[in-house]
Amino acid sequence: MVITNRVAIVPMRMEDVGRVLEIEQLSFPTPWPRDAYTHELRENRLACYLVARVMHQIAGYTGMWIILDEAHVTTLAVDPEYRRQQIGERLLVALLEEAMRRGARWVTLEVRKTNAGAQALYRKYGFKEIGVRKGYYSDNREDAIVMWTGNIYEQAFRARFTQNRADLDLDPPTP
């Protein structure tokens, strides 16, 4: 499917969970269950989950936890029909903006060692590999690469973020 209209990134709602689970099944060998998302949306005050809507259809989603001054990306996935259209990148930009808005100074995540596409996106936004979690993924014991932004308020990070965001032709962020 080719996107012809704008992508709207909005907070995930309970009624979005069914579609999110469909994308989850298509994207991950060991998908999260419904109750994980229900808990995140209803009870986890540290959580922030967003969806990407294209013409009212959810095309992708992402989430994070904000713990003190650190944002931990918990998930990011795009429906296979919408991949390679910058939706994942738009979700990441929105998540980073929300992390900044909520006072995070650092952003971290784990990514499968074999997921070169995701790693490239994260590197584009200044994430660096800082470690490996051996056998992290329970489905096949694949290693996870731990990535970290460093201080997201430092000039180098902000300049890269601002340029990448501008390259997406996004409207300026609201203050």
Side-chain angles (χ1 to χ4, degrees):
M1 176 166 296
V2 176
I3 299 171
T4 57
N5 288 350
R6 287 186 69 129
V7 177
I9 309 293
V10 297
M12 186 185 295
R13 302 173 307 201
M14 285 304 301
E15 55 265 28
D16 299 332
V17 172
R19 175 69 178 132
V20 165
L21 290 172
E22 290 174 9
I23 298 170
E24 183 91 4
Q25 292 282 332
L26 296 168
S27 301
F28 300 115
T30 309
W32 282 14
R34 178 178 295 275
D35 63 343
Y37 284 103
T38 300
H39 172 78
E40 290 295 282
L41 294 175
R42 287 187 176 155
E43 299 179 34
N44 187 352
R45 291 191 221 191
L46 304 175
C48 170
Y49 285 83
L50 306 171
V51 295
R53 293 184 188 280
V54 177
M55 298 176 5
H56 305 291
Q57 173 72 20
I58 294 174
Y61 61 93
T62 189
M64 70 179 164
W65 300 330
I66 303 286
I67 303 169
L68 300 175
D69 61 354
E70 180 180 320
H72 181 88
V73 178
T74 57
T75 191
L76 193 156
V78 176
D79 183 307
E81 288 188 35
Y82 290 94
R83 291 182 185 161
R84 306 284 180 248
Q85 298 182 55
Q86 299 180 313
I87 292 174
E89 185 169 356
R90 290 169 188 272
L91 283 162
L92 181 61
V93 165
L95 203 64
L96 290 170
E97 288 176 341
E98 187 63 21
M100 291 174 203
R101 192 181 74 70
R102 293 183 183 209
R105 296 181 60 81
W106 326 96
V107 183
T108 186
L109 56 83
E110 293 91 12
V111 60
R112 285 182 184 266
K113 188 174 183 177
T114 57
N115 193 343
Q119 291 170 42
L121 174 62
Y122 299 139
R123 283 189 186 95
K124 178 178 180 178
Y125 280 83
F127 285 81
K128 293 177 177 49
E129 183 177 332
I130 61 163
V132 175
R133 296 193 200 280
K134 295 284 186 189
Y136 182 78
Y137 293 99
S138 61
D139 60 312
N140 65 357
R141 308 296 299 154
E142 183 176 354
D143 294 347
I145 295 174
V146 180
M147 299 184 85
W148 181 269
T149 58
N151 188 332
I152 61 177
Y153 294 98
E154 288 181 353
Q155 179 59 31
F157 181 89
R158 296 300 283 222
R160 176 191 298 230
F161 180 78
T162 300
Q163 183 59 58
N164 286 336
R165 191 181 188 294
D167 291 346
L168 281 172
D169 292 326
L170 296 176
D171 294 331
T174 54

